[in-house]
Amino acid sequence: MLGAGFAAPSQAAKTLVFCSEGNPDYLSPPLARTTTSFDAITPVFDTLVRFDPATQTIVPGLAESWTVSPDGLVYTFTLRTDAVFHGTADFKPSRALNAEDVLFSFQRQWRADHPYHRVSGLTYDYFRDLSMPALLKSIEAVDARTVRFTLNRPEAPFLADLSMVFASIASAEYAEHMLRKGTPDEFDRAPLGTGPFQLVSYQKGATVRFKAFAEHWGGKPPLDSLVFSITPNAAVRLNKLQSGECHVMPFPNLADLPKVEADPNLTLMRQEGFNVAFMTFNVQKKPFDDVRVRRAVSMAIDKATLVEAIYGTAGRTAKNPLPPTTWAYNDAIVDLPYDPRQAVRLLAEAGYPEGFATELWHMPVTRPYMPDAKRAAEMMRNDLAKIGVRATLVTDDWSVYMKRLMNGDHQAGMIGWTSDNGDPDNFLYTLLSCEGARPGGGNMAKWCDPDFEKLIVRAKQTTDTALRTTLYHQAQEVFKREAPWLPLAHSMVFMVVRKEVRGYRMHPFGLHVFRSVDLDR
């Protein structure tokens, strides 16, 4: 039975250990919201199309080819014939991937009357954050190898969206098997995909274990097994790496970089992150329903000092919700200045001459966009005290923290984002749309601005890059005026690997992909 145990690899087997920084919240693609979940899901599942970091383009995945109608409304995919699903001790797939599996994977998230829609008690928030229910008109199986998506409107980022984890293809046959057994919830706890690795077991706070899938359509991966060793503390991760207990680790402490560079057994990798760290104000709760308060708090935070202390030379201050690496970035935006005196005046104007008390939430784990959230929160608390804002720091288990922010339980909270597909829509619509402002949605500011919404929706519906750029520039101006976030920083991202690791490449969207990675014996 899947997850019942994990046999120790033979002496000759190649097992790579990845020191992960946190627990995945879910192992089922449509339910996952954190990069720690994406990391654990990516080895197990494939998508119809995938993003190729080398060429920065969308390339075939489970679909070997596709066509798009001239009006941009109809996408027709031709599926591979050699993609097969993993099995378990009591389930052996009887067929290769076909159109039925694609329909199942999307209709489960889309159709309220689908037998799996309510399984696991969740609401497919990422699917909704991308406006998929309103976008999709129909999904049809033309034949066993052909799937046709018809849209209600053109959608420029549609192909890029289909490369993301939520769009992974699961086995309809396995889902039916679990229904017949009366254990449909097990479908999400013990997922089966067509990916290069098969999930073996998950022990929260300890390990996620995988074994190579010899029948993968791309061929068996070089590794025989893959283990995620869950290690939240960055210093402990580095110690494990230096001792050989781990082979790859993300997000070292910046103070430890000289130690890494001096170790002949380690290689330090770095790239500019496709990310932003920010403080999100819950605009549905006082006092942050008042833009003057949001602006005052923003002007009270000394971002330059914070970035220097937390990131050193590995970060830059942020002024927009998009990173500078994005083609739609509006560099003409003038940031709110650091001006505590003006902040005090704004608070008095808003009716808070003596300041106010609030909670400031911070992440409990290292993130690619934020190396030390607790220290950053402490610095912001000290800055806010100077204008009479008394902030109490709050945190929680990582998956609980994310869920509570998406539910809108916070007043002000620290979080960030690394792009899932490289399109500006993945920041501006996913994180700031009116659809995402519902409880459980990705708009953690719970901010719905009609001017902003018109701009980002119009930008989704054209493939004219120049027009999209203009619209996104205007949207960033509205964002700056209304201040639903305080953008904090964009960071460099660091990874450390042992010298015996071959073929590991940093991914621009923060994923850890082990399909082609090998180990010297």
Side-chain angles (χ1 to χ4, degrees):
M1 179 179 176
L2 186 67
F6 181 72
S10 67
Q11 187 65 31
K14 293 182 179 180
T15 298
L16 183 139
V17 181
F18 170 61
C19 264
S20 173
E21 78 281 11
N23 288 292
D25 51 355
Y26 297 104
L27 296 176
S28 181
L31 311 182
R33 294 305 300 260
T34 65
T35 53
T36 49
S37 291
F38 298 162
D39 288 341
I41 288 168
T42 298
V44 178
F45 286 93
D46 295 310
T47 48
L48 291 174
V49 297
R50 59 187 179 86
F51 178 83
D52 180 14
T55 62
Q56 301 282 298
T57 59
I58 299 296
V59 299
L62 291 175
E64 62 182 21
S65 64
W66 60 88
T67 60
V68 184
S69 64
D71 62 5
L73 294 178
V74 181
Y75 290 72
T76 305
F77 296 89
T78 301
L79 304 179
R80 308 183 64 91
T81 59
D82 56 353
V84 297
F85 286 98
H86 312 151
T88 69
D90 66 349
F91 171 76
K92 302 297 181 186
S94 67
R95 58 169 175 79
L97 167 107
N98 68 21
E100 181 184 351
D101 303 303
V102 179
L103 265 62
F104 166 82
S105 299
F106 285 90
Q107 289 180 339
R108 175 198 180 172
Q109 301 179 68
W110 182 24
R111 299 298 191 189
D113 60 353
H114 191 278
Y116 264 84
H117 188 74
R118 302 297 180 189
V119 168
S120 301
L122 295 164
T123 53
Y124 311 103
D125 284 307
Y126 203 53
F127 188 80
R128 295 174 64 186
D129 287 349
L130 294 172
S131 194
M132 285 288 172
L135 175 65
L136 294 172
K137 182 177 182 179
S138 65
I139 309 175
E140 306 164 82
V142 178
D143 56 44
R145 287 193 62 204
T146 311
V147 180
R148 179 181 296 140
F149 289 74
T150 302
L151 310 184
N152 285 309
R153 61 172 189 259
E155 181 84 351
F158 184 64
L159 273 178
D161 288 346
L162 293 190
S163 72
M164 291 157 50
V165 168
F166 87 95
S168 299
I169 306 304
S171 168
E173 191 179 18
Y174 179 50
E176 180 61 29
H177 169 75
M178 287 301 192
L179 272 180
R180 287 196 302 268
K181 284 183 61 179
T183 58
D185 286 351
E186 189 69 14
F187 178 82
D188 290 318
R189 292 193 293 269
L192 299 184
T194 60
F197 292 91
Q198 180 169 352
L199 179 69
V200 174
S201 65
Y202 170 36
Q203 182 180 356
K204 186 174 181 179
T207 57
V208 189
R209 298 179 182 271
F210 311 86
K211 63 182 179 182
F213 184 48
E215 298 176 74
H216 187 253
W217 53 267
K220 178 188 175 298
L223 298 170
D224 297 296
S225 54
L226 175 65
V227 178
F228 285 16
S229 177
I230 299 166
T231 313
N233 186 286
V236 176
R237 290 200 297 275
L238 182 56
N239 288 338
K240 287 184 175 183
L241 202 74
Q242 289 182 308
S243 69
E245 189 176 344
C246 291
H247 299 96
V248 180
M249 67 162 283
F251 322 136
N253 287 325
L254 298 181
D256 288 335
L257 297 187
K259 182 193 301 185
V260 171
E261 293 180 306
D263 191 324
N265 295 313
L266 304 181
T267 298
L268 179 66
M269 307 174 76
R270 71 187 79 196
Q271 70 179 12
E272 188 164 8
F274 222 110
N275 62 38
V276 61
F278 55 93
M279 182 200 299
T280 180
F281 304 116
N282 188 337
V283 304
Q284 295 181 1
K285 289 187 175 181
K286 290 186 177 297
F288 298 113
D289 58 336
D290 191 321
V291 67
R292 294 169 296 185
V293 173
R294 301 195 296 269
R295 284 174 161 263
V297 169
S298 298
M299 296 172 77
I301 304 298
D302 185 353
K303 287 197 290 192
T305 298
L306 185 148
V307 170
E308 182 180 359
I310 302 297
Y311 298 84
T313 59
R316 66 171 85 177
T317 57
K319 62 181 180 180
N320 291 329
L322 292 175
T325 46
T326 312
W327 51 263
Y329 183 77
N330 188 350
D331 199 31
I333 293 286
V334 176
D335 201 10
L336 290 171
Y338 171 55
D339 190 341
R341 290 185 179 180
Q342 177 62 11
V344 169
R345 287 193 287 270
L346 280 172
L347 286 184
E349 183 181 319
Y352 299 96
E354 305 300 324
F356 58 87
T358 187
E359 292 181 342
L360 172 56
W361 294 26
H362 65 87
M363 296 89 74
V365 294
T366 302
R367 305 308 305 136
Y369 46 77
M370 174 57 70
D372 192 340
K374 182 179 179 182
R375 185 181 177 203
E378 290 168 346
M379 292 184 69
M380 289 193 285
R381 178 183 61 187
N382 293 341
D383 282 345
L384 292 174
K386 297 172 185 176
I387 65 165
V389 174
R390 301 169 297 283
T392 301
L393 301 189
V394 176
T395 192
D396 211 323
D397 176 78
W398 176 226
S399 60
V400 176
Y401 180 87
M402 282 288 294
K403 183 176 182 179
R404 295 189 68 193
L405 251 67
M406 288 188 289
N407 282 338
D409 294 344
H410 62 295
Q411 287 180 282
M414 292 173 61
I415 194 64
W417 189 255
T418 299
S419 176
D420 289 329
N421 64 20
D423 195 284
D425 176 79
N426 189 240
F427 287 87
L428 299 182
Y429 194 89
T430 304
L431 301 178
L432 290 162
S433 71
C434 292
E435 172 65 32
R438 71 187 185 282
N443 181 347
M444 300 179 203
K446 306 308 172 189
W447 175 68
C448 175
D449 184 279
D451 294 336
F452 184 88
E453 185 80 3
K454 288 176 186 176
L455 291 165
I456 61 172
V457 169
R458 187 180 172 199
K460 289 167 71 75
Q461 297 176 6
T462 177
T463 57
D464 183 333
T465 302
L467 176 57
R468 293 187 81 202
T469 300
T470 297
L471 293 168
Y472 285 138
H473 279 196
Q474 294 171 1
Q476 288 166 83
E477 292 169 2
V478 176
F479 170 91
K480 183 55 63 175
R481 182 186 75 215
E482 298 300 321
W485 301 352
L486 168 60
L488 293 170
H490 310 289
S491 73
M492 292 287 292
V493 180
F494 296 90
M495 296 288 297
V496 188
V497 302
R498 289 189 59 84
K499 292 289 187 183
E500 58 266 33
V501 175
R502 290 191 285 114
Y504 180 84
R505 300 287 183 269
M506 293 186 71
H507 195 284
F509 307 148
L511 298 174
H512 304 293
V513 180
F514 297 98
R515 166 70 187 89
S516 301
V517 176
D518 201 354
L519 281 174
D520 289 331
R521 294 190 185 276

